[in-house]
């Protein structure tokens, strides 16, 4: 059974309409009636076949206004790179001892894992723990890198990873209700531009099939997005 606030928000929307992006952001903010600062997400259905290796859509983008979420960054590195990670603002820095802690204690008190390439040989020990949680570092997401400083700073500044799922949909946060429509629109545009640029050469027909935005507790708002 839907809550009262949700039903009121649905009544205020024209469910047959695709809203212009600026209207959609205003509508999603207006429909976020929960007592907490709701996260605003984007849901993009793509005209790709995720089962095909050459039609994967995945990448990262730094949202101009961040995500509104405090991100706990773990860096697995040694020597100078560990020192650089500390100075760049990483929350946890370590090497073999952190890998052992993840392996033996199922330690997961972090949101993003960044590592230097020389440590990847040991990361296989915790792949079964980190992989299902979406935490395993990857060169494609920029979390396996020689430039530890840049990776940490971008992550802290609001870098998000977008990745098409098995149903050909990308789900990604673009901020909080408290951002207001203008900042959400800036983040929306940055993410959509990145997704469009990431179109695989093998994808045929309509690439962006549908775009919806919704707050944590609010209804979905259809967005009229033209490439």
């Amino acid at each position: 059974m839907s809550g009262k606030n949700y039903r009121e928000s649905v009544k205020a929307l024209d469910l047959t309409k695709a809203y212009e992006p600026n209207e959609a952001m205003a509508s999603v903010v207006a429909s976020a009636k929960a007592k907490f600062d709701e996260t605003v997400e984007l849901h993009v259905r793509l005209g790709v076949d995720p089962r095909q290796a050459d039609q994967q859509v995945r990448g990262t983008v730094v949202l101009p206004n961040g995500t509104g979420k405090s991100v706990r960054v773990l860096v697995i590195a040694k020597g100078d790179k560990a020192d650089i990670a500390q100075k760049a603002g990483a929350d946890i820095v370590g090497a073999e001892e952190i890998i052992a802690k993840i392996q033996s204690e199922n330690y997961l008190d972090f949101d993003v894992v960044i590592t230097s390439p020389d440590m990847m040989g040991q990361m296989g020990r915790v792949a079964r723990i980190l992989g299902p949680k979406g935490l395993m570092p990857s060169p494609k997401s920029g979390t396996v890198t020689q430039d530890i400083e840049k990776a940490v700073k971008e992550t802290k500044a609001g870098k998000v990873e977008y990745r098409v799922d098995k149903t050909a949909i990308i789900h990604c946060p673009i901020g909080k209700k408290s951002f207001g429509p203008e900042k959400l629109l800036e983040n929306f545009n940055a993410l959509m531009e990145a997704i469009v640029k990431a179109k695989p050469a093998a994808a045929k027909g309509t690439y962006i099939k549908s775009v919806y935005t919704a707050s944590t507790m609010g209804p979905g708002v259809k967005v009229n997005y033209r490439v």
Side-chain angles (χ1 to χ4, degrees):
M1 187 75 178
S2 301
K4 180 184 175 184
N5 286 339
Y6 182 90
R7 293 196 301 271
E8 287 178 356
S9 296
V10 169
K11 283 181 185 176
L13 290 172
D14 181 351
L15 299 180
T16 65
K17 175 182 176 180
Y19 289 79
E20 293 303 312
N22 61 327
E23 295 177 321
M25 297 307 124
S27 294
V28 81
V29 168
S31 67
K33 299 180 185 295
K35 292 179 180 178
F36 62 92
D37 193 7
E38 295 182 52
T39 296
V40 177
E41 287 200 345
L42 203 59
H43 308 279
V44 184
R45 182 180 292 278
L46 300 179
V48 298
D49 182 353
R51 295 171 298 178
Q52 305 301 319
D54 60 358
Q55 293 189 46
Q56 291 294 313
V57 180
R58 180 182 183 182
T60 60
V61 60
V62 178
L63 299 178
N65 300 299
T67 62
K69 180 185 176 185
S70 178
V71 181
R72 295 164 299 171
V73 177
L74 162 63
V75 173
I76 296 177
K78 291 180 177 178
D80 291 346
K81 285 187 170 57
D83 294 337
I84 289 168
Q86 289 273 347
K87 290 174 183 174
D91 300 274
I92 312 153
V93 180
E96 289 91 350
E97 75 281 5
I98 292 288
I99 294 173
K101 189 174 182 179
I102 294 169
Q103 190 174 21
S104 62
E105 300 175 25
N106 214 38
Y107 174 67
L108 293 168
D109 193 19
F110 43 83
D111 302 302
V112 176
V113 184
I114 295 167
T115 187
S116 53
D118 60 302
M119 293 300 295
M120 275 306 287
Q122 299 186 53
M123 290 299 293
R125 290 160 50 193
V126 291
R128 288 185 179 181
I129 298 170
L130 299 182
K133 302 283 186 184
L135 293 169
M136 189 65 186
S138 158
K140 286 186 178 179
S141 65
T143 47
V144 178
T145 177
Q146 294 284 7
D147 196 342
I148 296 289
E149 181 180 17
K150 180 183 177 184
V152 172
K153 287 185 174 178
E154 284 188 347
T155 301
K156 285 287 189 180
K159 184 172 80 169
V160 294
E161 181 180 5
Y162 58 88
R163 186 175 188 178
V164 70
D165 68 12
K166 292 177 182 177
T167 62
I169 299 174
I170 288 173
H171 308 274
C172 198
I174 56 170
K176 296 282 188 179
K177 172 194 172 180
S178 59
F179 282 21
E182 289 185 12
K183 287 186 175 180
L184 286 172
L185 181 61
E186 289 173 0
N187 282 358
F188 167 87
N189 286 332
L191 178 57
M192 288 304 301
E193 285 170 15
I195 293 171
V196 170
K197 283 181 182 176
K199 179 182 179 181
K204 306 299 180 188
T206 304
Y207 178 54
I208 305 291
K209 289 204 162 184
S210 69
V211 180
Y212 282 83
T213 184
S215 63
T216 307
M217 304 295 288
V221 178
K222 189 173 184 180
V223 186
N224 183 23
Y225 187 80
R226 293 177 294 273
V227 179

